[in-house]
Amino acid sequence: IGFGCWQLGSKGKDDYWGLKFTDELAESLISRAVSKGIIYFDTAEAYGNGDSEKQLGVALKKLDPKIRPKVIVGSKILPNNCGDCRNALKDTLARLDVKHVDLYMVHWPISKGGMAHFATKDESGESIDYSKVDTKSIKEVPPTTRAFQQLMVLQKEGLIKHIGVSNFGVKQLEEALSTGVKIAVNQVAYNLLFRAIEYEVLPFCRKHGIQILCYSPLMQGLLTGRHESIKEVPPFRARTRHFDSRTNKLSRHGETGCEKLLFNTLKDIKTIAKESGHSMVELALAWPLAQPGVTCVIAGATKASQVDSNSAASKVKLSEDTLKKLAEVTEDLKKKLGPNIDMYQGMKDGVQTSRCF
C-alpha cells in the first residue's frame, strides 16, 4: 500500500478535498504511515499547485534519519511542462527539498487533450476548472519522444532513479518505448468499480515488464460503503463516467453514466464483504493487490484511523471464492464503462474526448 498525497496542501472547505491540510496533520499522518510499514509516497506538481510536494518534503524531514532512507517518493510532471523536463524537475526537487526523486512520472499523455484540462483555470485564475476542457487554448504540444529523451538524460545524471508514466494507453506507451526508455510503472485508475485497464493496458504492461500502480482504489470514497445513494455523493466525487454528466456542472465527460448499475454493484460488493468477514475498505484495497501485474495500491488518508485501515488491508489475502464473486458482480459495470481508462472524459457530443489511447 502506498500513501497518496493529493490531499496535502488542501486549503480549506472550498478546495477539492474540503478541508485545510496543515503541516502538523501531514507530519502526523506520514509519520504514522511509515510506522505502519507504508513507505511509498505519491505526489505531483499539480497537487495543490506544488503545495503537496512542499508539505510532503517538510514532513519527510521530520522522520527519524535512520528510517528516511527506506522511504520511496514518486512525483509527476504535467504534460504541459514536458517541453522543459529539466526545469520542471528542478522545481519539484526544490519543493520536496531532495537531491533526486525515486520515481518521476509523466502525469497524463502529452497531447492537446492531456494538456487542456490543466490549462483551464477557474475564476480565481489559480485552480483548475474541473468542468472544462479547452483544447483550442493549447497552441503547441511538446513531442513525446523528445520529452522521454530529456528524462533519460536526467536519469543518467542521477536526478531520477526510475521513469514512469500515468494514465497512458497502449499507443502512448508504444510511442514512449520507441525512444528506448525503460518505463518502470504506469499509474492508472483501477478498482472494483473501474476495471477498464483489463481490456488492453494491463496485458500490454505485463508483457513489457511495466508495473501497475493503482490510484483511486476506493473510487473516491464509494467503496467505503458510506454513500447509500447518488444524493450523498459530493459533486467533486461524482465527476466520473459512472455518473450522469447532465446533472453535475462539474462533470465534463458528456456521458449519461450508469448510476443504477453502480449502486446495485455496490450493494453486491457490500454483501460479499459481510460474507467474507472483511470490511468494504479491506475488500477494495486487497482486491487490486491480488491482481497479476499490480505492484502497489495508492490510498489517501486524512485521518489516523484511515492510515491504520489502509495498512491493515495490505495484509488481507482474499480467498479464490471471494475473488471470483467480486469479478462476477462487477463484470456488468466493467462492460458498461468499456476499455476507456479515462474516468473523467469520454464520448461527448459524438466525439471521443478520452485522453488515453
Side-chain angles (χ1 to χ4, degrees):
I1 295 288
F3 188 103
C5 299
W6 188 359
Q7 71 280 23
L8 270 65
S10 182
K11 299 295 191 296
K13 63 182 182 67
D14 294 327
D15 211 333
Y16 187 95
W17 293 99
L19 81 161
K20 182 176 177 58
F21 218 87
T22 64
D23 286 346
E24 291 74 21
L25 178 58
E27 290 165 17
S28 67
L29 292 182
I30 288 168
S31 176
R32 191 176 190 89
V34 173
S35 73
K36 295 289 181 178
I38 297 173
I39 60 169
Y40 175 65
F41 293 85
D42 187 86
T43 185
E45 65 176 4
Y47 298 165
N49 290 325
D51 286 340
S52 172
E53 290 177 325
K54 289 179 183 177
Q55 210 165 57
L56 175 60
V58 170
L60 292 178
K61 289 288 184 183
K62 300 293 180 68
L63 293 176
D64 184 328
K66 295 180 181 179
I67 296 175
R68 174 61 183 91
K70 299 177 181 179
V71 171
I72 300 168
V73 176
S75 192
K76 309 177 198 76
I77 177 176
L78 286 174
N80 311 55
N81 294 333
C82 282
D84 189 351
C85 295
R86 181 178 295 276
N87 190 57
L89 177 61
K90 181 187 73 173
D91 291 343
T92 280
L93 295 179
R95 287 189 290 265
L96 287 168
D97 195 14
V98 294
K99 293 182 179 179
H100 69 267
V101 66
D102 300 299
L103 174 63
Y104 198 48
M105 296 162 279
V106 178
H107 202 155
W108 282 89
I110 308 170
S111 64
K112 279 194 173 185
M115 296 166 65
H117 170 52
F118 297 101
T120 308
K121 303 297 182 180
D122 63 10
E123 293 179 357
S124 71
E126 297 181 0
S127 300
I128 294 170
D129 186 335
Y130 286 95
S131 67
K132 298 177 182 178
V133 177
D134 181 16
T135 55
K136 294 180 181 178
S137 66
I138 305 301
K139 305 302 181 185
E140 183 178 355
V141 178
T144 294
T145 51
R146 188 176 71 192
F148 281 94
Q149 287 165 354
Q150 290 181 12
L151 291 172
M152 284 189 285
V153 170
L154 295 169
Q155 185 179 42
K156 287 181 180 179
E157 293 177 6
L159 299 176
I160 303 168
K161 282 192 176 181
H162 301 283
I163 296 170
V165 297
S166 183
N167 304 299
F168 271 47
V170 169
K171 290 182 180 179
Q172 293 154 335
L173 286 166
E174 288 176 335
E175 184 179 13
L177 289 170
S178 71
T179 64
V181 67
K182 167 62 178 174
I183 296 177
V185 305
N186 188 10
Q187 185 178 138
V188 289
Y190 188 38
N191 57 62
L192 282 165
L193 302 176
F194 194 67
R195 296 169 54 192
I197 68 166
E198 293 178 5
Y199 285 98
E200 299 171 352
V201 172
L202 181 55
F204 181 90
C205 287
R206 290 188 67 191
K207 178 181 179 181
H208 292 271
I210 300 171
Q211 300 175 45
I212 293 291
L213 302 190
C214 303
Y215 71 80
S216 282
L218 298 178
M219 199 57 236
Q220 299 206 2
L222 285 174
L223 283 165
T224 63
R226 74 168 69 108
H227 304 305
E228 298 290 339
S229 69
I230 177 64
K231 294 180 181 179
E232 297 177 18
V233 182
F236 269 124
R237 309 293 179 88
R239 296 182 299 114
T240 65
R241 291 169 42 236
H242 302 81
F243 300 94
D244 192 337
S245 65
R246 296 170 298 183
T247 59
N248 186 353
K249 65 179 183 180
L250 295 176
S251 176
R252 62 182 189 275
H253 58 75
E255 298 178 359
T256 57
C258 44
E259 294 170 5
K260 183 178 180 180
L261 175 58
L262 170 65
F263 280 92
N264 284 341
T265 304
L266 281 168
K267 288 180 183 178
D268 290 338
I269 294 172
K270 186 176 291 188
T271 298
I272 295 171
K274 290 180 180 179
E275 292 174 349
S276 67
H278 298 297
S279 69
M280 284 275 283
V281 169
E282 287 176 337
L283 211 65
L285 295 181
W287 178 81
L289 282 172
Q291 306 308 309
V294 174
T295 297
C296 180
V297 172
I298 300 165
T302 58
K303 302 174 184 177
S305 60
Q306 293 170 343
V307 173
D308 294 347
S309 61
N310 292 349
S311 174
S314 69
K315 301 173 179 63
V316 172
K317 302 297 181 184
L318 301 178
S319 69
E320 288 300 319
D321 182 57
T322 297
L323 289 170
K324 181 180 178 182
K325 288 179 179 178
L326 288 170
E328 289 174 350
V329 301
T330 59
E331 184 67 21
D332 286 346
L333 189 59
K334 172 186 172 180
K335 290 179 179 177
K336 174 64 178 177
L337 292 170
N340 175 14
I341 70 169
D342 191 338
M343 290 197 297
Y344 298 102
Q345 293 181 201
M347 191 64 72
K348 187 172 185 178
D349 299 327
V351 178
Q352 180 57 262
T353 65
S354 172
R355 294 162 289 180
C356 317
F357 52 84

